[in-house]
């Protein structure tokens, strides 16, 4: 006769150990370890935990003050995670130092830039996404958002958007920074401590 | 409410495994018939295609039939492979919900009247008919400007459900580049249809 236990919840007895059921570890809403799912057309081996789904990493950094320096210059300061009502991030998050962004783990990431720019007449203000695979011994300008100043004689307020996918395989050397380029005197890339105006977004899409 | 605190639960009857509310767990395996919802996760994808050359035709909407490439500069890559492009037609290899995003950079237009538009165009009959469902539009005076649009699509027929892109220039051009994302599209598979 088959044995049967009637119970509403099965929880771990030993803190941090989870519950192992005939070889399958279940812990903190995840099925852990490597398991094989048998099927008529083959098997699927999982190499990491199955989680409840969703992004492992989603992080946003914003300019906290206006950027007005003319010319081509890296954005090296006044970058912070927004801390307003409900604003947050998922996972470990990016590490930022002097404008250089380091990734928390290897994987594919979607990097997007949303730029709020007041461009003077005839300016074409740019924020470039710059990548490196050798910790900025060399670099590559891989993506750009540009806002043009129209010819009305006044500053135009516009937002622009750009995004790119990168494959991060070496967190020590694969990094990102952003550069304000072709900025004419009088053009403003807007930043604020109270509202996201110009933002840099990072989403981890999956493992590399 | 009852609760069982335990480190390990093993099968009582050899070869039977342990069944929890209908889910059989045996010998480090979970019966495939009990697994649902995994499809979305393993088929998530995010792919970009960028224009490599500027589009200079002015006037009515023009199909972009060539010059698309996967961005390939430092660190750039696509994640997954559910969308492919041929002669400007984007085809899906797996049904599902997809978010399509388009960014256009216009430049070198006539001051004050330079419109640049990039349309997301869809078809449910392999382009016997088509519809421009979303547009990114910018008006700039010669120094460049970008615009963004997006749409969510339910792709249920891989033969007939397809996407292409059209552009319109009042004057000037829509800029492409082989080294930097300037005018580009992004396809993200969100989940099963």
């Amino acid at each position: 006769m088959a044995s049967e236990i009637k119970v509403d919840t099965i929880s771990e007895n030993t803190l941090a150990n989870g519950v192992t059921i005939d070889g399958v570890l279940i812990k903190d809403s995840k099925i852990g370890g490597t398991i094989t799912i048998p099927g008529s057309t083959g098997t699927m081996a999982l190499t990491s935990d199955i989680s409840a789904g969703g992004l492992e990493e989603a992080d946003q950094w914003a300019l906290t003050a206006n950027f007005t320096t003319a010319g081509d210059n890296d954005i090296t300061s006044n970058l912070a995670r927004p801390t307003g009502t409900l604003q947050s991030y998922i996972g470990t998050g990016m590490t930022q130092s002097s404008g250089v962004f380091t990734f928390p783990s290897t994987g594919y990431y979607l990097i997007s830039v949303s730029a709020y720019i007041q461009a003077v007449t005839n300016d074409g203000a740019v924020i470039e996404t710059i990548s490196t695979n050798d910790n900025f011994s060399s670099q590559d300008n891989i993506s750009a958002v540009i806002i043009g100043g129209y010819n009305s004689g006044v500053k135009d307020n516009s937002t622009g958007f750009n995004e790119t996918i990168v494959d991060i395989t070496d967190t020590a050397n694969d990094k990102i920074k952003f550069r304000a380029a072709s900025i004419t005197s009088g053009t403003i890339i807007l930043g604020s401590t109270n509202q996201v105006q110009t933002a840099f977004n990072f989403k981890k899409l999956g493992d590399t | 409410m009852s609760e069982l605190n335990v480190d390990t639960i093993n099968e009582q009857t050899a070869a039977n495994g342990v069944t929890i509310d209908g889910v059989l767990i045996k010998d480090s395996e979970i019966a495939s018939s009990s697994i649902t919802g995994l499809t979305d996760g393993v088929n998530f994808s995010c792919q970009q295609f960028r224009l490599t050359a500027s589009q200079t035709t002015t006037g009515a909407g023009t199909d972009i039939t060539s010059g698309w490439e996967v961005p390939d500069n430092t660190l750039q890559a696509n994640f997954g492979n559910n969308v492919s492009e041929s002669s400007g037609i984007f085809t899906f290899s797996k049904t599902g919900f997809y978010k399509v995003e388009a960014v256009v950079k216009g430049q070198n237009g006539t001051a004050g009247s330079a419109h640049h538009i990039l349309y997301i165009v869809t078809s449910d009959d392999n382009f016997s008919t088509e519809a421009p469902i979303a547009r990114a539009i910018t008006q700039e005076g010669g120094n460049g400007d970008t615009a963004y649009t997006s749409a969510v699509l339910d792709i249920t027929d891989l033969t007939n459900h397809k996407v292409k892109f059209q552009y319109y220039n009042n004057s000037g051009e829509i800029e492409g580049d082989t080294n930097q994302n300037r005018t580009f599209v992004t396809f993200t598979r969100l989940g099963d249809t």
Side-chain angles (χ1 to χ4, degrees):
Chain A
M1 176 181 173
S3 62
E4 182 178 11
I5 298 172
K6 291 188 176 180
V7 63
D8 292 314
T9 303
I10 299 174
S11 298
E12 61 187 6
N13 185 52
T14 304
L15 190 64
N17 278 9
V19 178
T20 300
I21 303 175
D22 208 26
V24 175
L25 173 64
I26 298 176
K27 173 157 180 54
D28 298 338
S29 303
K30 294 181 180 178
I31 301 171
T34 299
I35 62 174
T36 301
I37 302 171
S40 58
T41 58
T43 61
M44 178 175 66
L46 303 175
T47 57
S48 60
D49 290 351
I50 302 171
S51 70
L55 293 172
E56 183 180 340
E57 298 278 349
D59 197 7
Q60 182 178 64
W61 289 71
L63 267 185
T64 59
N66 292 344
F67 188 101
T68 59
T69 306
D72 301 342
N73 295 281
D74 291 349
I75 299 174
T76 59
S77 61
N78 298 316
L79 293 162
R81 284 195 183 95
T83 57
T85 304
L86 300 183
Q87 289 180 298
S88 186
Y89 64 103
I90 299 171
T92 303
M94 300 293 292
T95 301
Q96 183 270 141
S97 178
S98 298
V100 174
F101 287 85
T102 302
F103 295 84
S105 59
T106 60
Y108 288 89
Y109 287 80
L110 179 66
I111 302 169
S112 64
V113 178
S114 178
Y116 176 10
I117 297 177
Q118 289 179 348
V120 297
T121 300
N122 289 328
D123 193 10
V126 179
I127 296 181
E128 298 168 332
T129 301
I130 299 173
S131 64
T132 180
N133 57 15
D134 55 13
N135 198 19
F136 286 111
S137 294
S138 64
Q139 63 185 37
D140 198 358
N141 181 355
I142 59 173
S143 198
V145 54
I146 182 167
I147 295 295
Y150 304 152
N151 289 271
S152 58
V154 297
K155 291 180 182 177
D156 290 297
N157 292 279
S158 294
T159 57
F161 177 82
N162 195 286
E163 63 187 358
T164 186
I165 304 167
V166 293
D167 182 9
I168 303 300
T169 60
D170 179 351
T171 56
N173 289 301
D174 296 350
K175 298 182 179 182
I176 293 291
K177 65 181 178 181
F178 302 96
R179 180 169 62 188
S182 301
I183 306 298
T184 297
S185 178
T187 287
I188 303 171
I189 301 173
L190 282 91
S192 170
T193 57
N194 299 317
Q195 184 185 65
V196 174
Q197 297 184 338
T198 296
F200 309 96
N201 308 293
F202 302 84
K203 297 177 185 173
K204 185 174 181 179
L205 303 170
D207 292 336
T208 188
Chain B
M1 178 177 168
S2 61
E3 180 175 5
L4 175 64
N5 292 318
V6 64
D7 292 316
T8 304
I9 299 174
N10 286 324
E11 61 188 5
Q12 167 70 10
T13 304
N16 277 11
V18 178
T19 299
I20 299 178
D21 205 23
V23 176
L24 173 64
I25 299 174
K26 173 155 179 55
D27 299 337
S28 302
E29 296 180 354
I30 300 174
S32 58
S33 58
S34 298
I35 304 294
T36 61
L38 277 182
T39 302
D40 288 350
V42 297
N43 287 288
F44 175 73
S45 60
C46 187
Q47 298 171 251
Q48 288 194 316
F49 303 85
R50 70 182 172 200
L51 272 184
T52 59
S54 297
Q55 309 294 308
T56 58
T57 301
T58 57
T62 302
D63 289 352
I64 301 174
T65 58
S66 63
W68 292 106
E69 72 166 6
V70 175
D72 56 0
N73 287 84
T74 305
L75 301 183
Q76 288 184 300
N78 273 350
F79 181 67
N81 188 31
N82 288 315
V83 179
S84 59
E85 180 270 334
S86 177
S87 299
I89 304 298
F90 290 79
T91 303
F92 302 86
S93 60
K94 186 170 184 59
T95 60
F97 286 92
Y98 288 81
K99 183 177 184 182
V100 183
E101 300 169 279
V103 169
V104 59
K105 181 191 174 192
Q107 67 176 14
N108 295 332
T110 302
S113 62
H115 287 83
H116 305 280
I117 303 174
L118 184 62
Y119 298 95
I120 301 173
V121 181
T122 57
S123 175
D124 61 5
D125 55 12
N126 197 20
F127 285 109
S128 294
T129 62
E130 64 187 47
I133 60 166
R135 68 170 66 184
I137 181 170
T138 179
Q139 181 178 16
E140 58 81 42
N143 296 290
D145 202 18
T146 57
Y148 170 85
T149 190
S150 66
V152 176
L153 309 179
D154 184 8
I155 303 299
T156 60
D157 181 342
L158 302 179
T159 302
N160 291 302
H161 290 186
K162 298 185 179 181
V163 172
K164 66 180 180 180
F165 298 89
Q166 290 179 339
Y167 72 94
Y168 166 83
N169 282 319
N170 179 279
S171 62
E173 64 193 33
I174 287 175
E175 188 184 23
D177 194 286
T178 58
N179 293 314
Q180 193 179 60
N181 292 9
R182 297 190 179 185
T183 296
F184 61 92
V185 297
T186 305
F187 290 82
T188 303
R189 187 176 187 276
L190 303 172
D192 286 344
T193 186

